[in-house]
């Protein structure tokens, strides 16, 4: 492969040399320009132990190897050509071209290829052991099998991009474009699976990677009006994205679900698969269609700028047919009619709808034990393993922002922002019976800028009604242990988890933040900067956090090519949170 690439570069270079006299003659007649630059070099590499630590994204073949770069630029009349390329290795190369014909048709093309070396986890840390009362080690309860031991994993990553633009001569500022992009990832990586009911047996093997992501993106942009009376641009683009994985899925042979001591099939009702060879680490293919419409205009007579954007997007999992729909609208208006004052208003709306999924399980009765012949739901009628998964992503979001900036005096500017954001989820509750979160944010700041000194100070306050939380996340009532219980007579997992009572969250419902920074240009070569940030946040779920972050830095730059920086940063962070450690034997 590398010899083919070297040959192609040599051919291009030879053609350039052949045509150079003609182009040079044309350049003399039209007083245009043509340049060719070729870089020839060599590199030497050696390394010890694991090469990925020092070259995760580099080819480090041992020995002395050549590399070559090429740069061609030329224009004649109203035509322009630029070609750049660099070859380091067959897995590490770059090529780009830029062609412009009469300022009407432009083609930009690039190809990039690089490696990504991945680590191979030997899994030896899973060889855990216990000690008996005498202190002697007993056989491990965890075991692992690496079916691909000693193998090196690597992904070859490549990107091809093409951007074709046709400018409309009869409508200045308008254009039609067609963009194309394709990413490919090929190689192998480590895929890990565990046994069917716990992590007592971990299996690892190489997973073949043959993925692609392909984007087709046509669209247009039209401009009307002029800078004096006002102008409006309208654009539309369509994105068709395809993702696919054609590499073979790894498979694993899962053992029968038997009692670890007696070997009897007493736990069959508690697993969905056993004694079978099944695929895992399956990567689904998908498709995405996105329509984007934008409008941007300015009215100089009233010093007003208006921008709107609407996005409609649908993503489909082509393996199972589930879809994800997104609709979003953004509108912004800015006015600077009053001297020294800039007012801006912004509105944003978003609606996300994700398909519900019916989760169906395979229930099978055990062949032995006290529950022989009965499925788990027959033994425990209050437990239903099948359900509809209602997506927590389903939501409607409304956001309004009002901001102002006013120059108080020549070197001092005052800024203020108020933001209201409401998130209403269709299904997910953040409190009992409550799916809505309202956020109110206010910010005010002062900035000072003079010849050698500039800085700013800002204060922000947030109030959040019902922040995102996990209802019934932890803490069970006392007395849940059942003395002498077995897996069949004791408290079941679903019963234990259903007892959880407290809602927990690490997101605040009240937050205060102060930040300040200043820079003093002592001389053209020396500057001194300082920064401080303070955060205090808390919520109603026994969680709070406080942080102090001061820093100072000194910069000395004796020349444009040389500079020295001395910095000190102190970070103090203290978090208080409720932690529940459940004690459970069942």
């Amino acid at each position: 492969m590398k010899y083919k690439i070297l040959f192609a570069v040599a051919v291009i270079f030879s053609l350039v040399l052949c045509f150079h006299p003609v182009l040079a003659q044309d350049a003399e007649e039209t007083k245009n320009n043509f340049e060719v630059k070729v870089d020839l070099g060599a590199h030497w590499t050696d390394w010890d132990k694991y090469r990925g630590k020092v070259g995760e994204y580099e080819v480090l073949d041992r020995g002395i190897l050549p590399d070559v770069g090429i740069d061609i630029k030329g224009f004649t009349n109203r035509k322009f050509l630029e070609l750049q390329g660099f070859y380091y290795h067959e897995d590490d190369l770059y090529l780009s071209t830029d062609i412009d014909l009469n300022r009407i048709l432009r083609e930009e093309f690039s190809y990039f290829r690089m490696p990504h070396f991945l680590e191979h986890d030997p899994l030896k840390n899973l060889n855990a052991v216990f000690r008996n009362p005498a202190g002697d080690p007993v056989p491990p309860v965890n075991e692992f099998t690496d079916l691909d031991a000693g193998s090196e994993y690597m992904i070859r990553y490549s990107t091809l991009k093409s951007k074709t633009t046709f400018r409309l001569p009869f409508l200045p500022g308008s254009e039609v474009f067609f963009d194309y992009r394709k990413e490919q990832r090929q190689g192998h990586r480590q895929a890990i699976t565990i046994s069917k009911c716990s992590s007592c047996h971990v299996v690892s093997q190489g997973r073949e990677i043959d993925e692609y992501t392909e984007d087709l993106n046509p669209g247009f942009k039209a401009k009307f009006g002029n800078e004096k009376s006002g102008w409006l641009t309208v654009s539309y683009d369509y994105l068709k994205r395809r993702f696919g994985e054609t590499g073979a899925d790894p498979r694993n042979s899962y053992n029968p679900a038997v009692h670890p001591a007696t070997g009897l099939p007493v736990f069959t009702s508690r697993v969905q698969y056993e004694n079978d060879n099944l695929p895992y680490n399956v990567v689904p293919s998908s498709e995405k269609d996105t329509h984007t419409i934008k409008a941007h205009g300015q009215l100089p007579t009233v010093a007003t700028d208006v921008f709107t954007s609407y996005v409609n997007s649908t993503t489909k999992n082509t393996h199972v047919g589930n879809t994800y729909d997104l609709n979003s609208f953004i509108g912004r208006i800015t006015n600077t009619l009053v001297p020294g004052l800039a007012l801006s208003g912004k509105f944003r709306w978003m609606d996300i709808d994700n398909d519900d999924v019916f989760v169906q399980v395979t229930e099978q009765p055990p062949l032995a034990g006290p529950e022989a012949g009965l499925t788990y739901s027959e033994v425990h009628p209050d437990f239903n393993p099948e359900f509809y998964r209602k997506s927590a992503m389903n939501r409607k979001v409304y956001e309004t922002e009002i901001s102002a900036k006013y120059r108080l005096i020549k070197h001092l500017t005052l800024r203020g922002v108020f933001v209201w954001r409401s998130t209403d989820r269709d299904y997910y509750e953040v409190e009992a019976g409550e799916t809505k979160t309202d956020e109110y944010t206010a910010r005010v700041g002062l900035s000072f800028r003079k010849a050698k000194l500039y800085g700013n100070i800002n204060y922000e306050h947030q109030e959040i009604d019902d922040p995102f939380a996990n209802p019934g996340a932890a803490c069970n009532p006392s007395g849940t242990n059942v003395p002498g219980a077995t897996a069949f007579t004791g408290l079941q997992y679903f019963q234990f988890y259903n007892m959880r009572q407290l809602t927990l969250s690490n997101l605040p419902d009240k937050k205060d933040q102060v930040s300040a920074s200043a820079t003093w240009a002592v001389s053209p070569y020396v500057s001194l900067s300082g920064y401080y940030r303070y955060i205090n946040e808390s919520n109603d779920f026994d969680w709070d956090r406080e942080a102090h972050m001061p820093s100072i830095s000194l910069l000395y730059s004796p020349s444009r090519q040389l500079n020295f920086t001395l910095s000190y940063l102190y970070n103090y962070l203290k978090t208080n949170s409720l932690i529940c450690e459940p004690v459970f034997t069942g």
Side-chain angles (χ1 to χ4, degrees), residues 1-154:
M1 177 67 181
K2 62 182 178 181
Y3 300 108
K4 294 180 180 179
I5 296 174
L6 285 172
F7 177 74
V9 172
V11 170
I12 293 174
F13 181 59
S14 301
L15 290 173
V16 169
L17 293 179
C18 293
F19 284 102
H20 180 262
V22 177
L23 293 172
Q25 181 180 0
D26 182 66
E28 291 179 2
E29 295 176 354
T30 60
K31 297 182 180 181
N32 293 326
N33 187 38
F34 185 81
E35 297 178 356
V36 178
K37 179 182 178 183
V38 178
D39 295 322
L40 299 176
H43 58 274
W44 174 82
T45 308
D46 197 8
W47 46 272
D48 294 322
K49 298 182 180 179
Y50 177 55
R51 45 92 57 234
K53 288 296 184 182
V54 292
E56 183 179 355
Y57 298 96
E58 298 181 72
V59 177
L60 299 179
D61 287 353
R62 288 187 170 94
I64 300 177
L65 299 171
D67 52 63
V68 60
I70 187 171
D71 188 353
I72 303 173
K73 294 181 181 179
F75 60 87
T76 172
N77 296 327
R78 301 184 66 188
K79 302 175 181 63
F80 173 80
L81 165 68
E82 181 178 15
L83 186 147
Q84 292 180 326
F86 181 76
Y87 174 85
Y88 185 86
H89 185 273
E90 63 178 341
D91 289 327
D92 190 348
L93 54 91
Y94 171 77
L95 176 68
S96 71
T97 61
D98 187 352
I99 303 173
D100 193 307
L101 302 177
N102 300 322
R103 300 287 184 179
I104 295 177
L105 179 63
R106 184 176 183 181
E107 170 62 29
E108 299 169 85
F109 172 85
S110 67
Y111 178 79
F112 174 68
R113 188 172 183 177
M114 60 173 282
H116 185 192
F117 292 89
L118 307 174
E119 292 197 39
H120 187 148
D121 187 350
L123 306 177
K124 294 181 179 180
N125 63 301
L126 299 175
N127 226 357
V129 299
F130 288 99
R131 295 184 180 273
N132 59 24
D136 301 321
V138 297
V141 295
N142 287 70
E143 60 177 335
F144 69 91
T145 302
D146 191 348
L147 300 175
D148 213 9
S151 296
E152 289 191 0
Y153 297 127
M154 189 261 282

Side-chain angles (χ1 to χ4, degrees), residues 280-341:
Y280 72 98
N281 202 252
V282 178
V283 179
S285 298
S286 63
E287 292 184 353
K288 182 178 182 179
D289 296 273
T290 302
H291 304 268
T292 304
I293 302 174
K294 295 180 181 179
H296 184 201
Q298 283 190 354
L299 300 173
T301 55
V302 290
T304 300
D305 183 278
V306 180
F307 173 81
T308 61
S309 172
Y310 172 74
V311 177
N312 172 266
S313 178
T314 299
T315 304
K316 182 177 181 180
N317 182 321
T318 55
H319 269 46
V320 294
N322 295 333
T323 61
Y324 172 95
D325 296 319
L326 167 70
N327 286 281
S328 174
F329 173 81
I330 296 176
R332 184 185 68 240
I333 182 170
T334 303
N335 183 275
T336 57
L337 189 61
V338 178
L341 176 65

Side-chain angles (χ1 to χ4, degrees), residues 412-433:
L412 191 63
T413 302
L414 174 67
R415 300 182 308 275
V417 180
F418 177 79
V419 182
W420 169 72
R421 177 185 173 97
S422 178
T423 303
D424 193 357
R425 306 164 187 88
D426 291 350
Y427 305 111
Y428 191 90
E429 294 186 350
V430 293
E431 277 284 3

Side-chain angles (χ1 to χ4, degrees), residues 95 132 140 154 227 243 321 353 372 391 395 416 425-426 478 562:
L95 176 68
N132 59 24
M154 189 261 282
E227 301 293 334
F243 169 80
D353 183 45
S391 175
R395 65 189 60 196
R425 306 164 187 88
D426 291 350
S478 59
L562 181 65

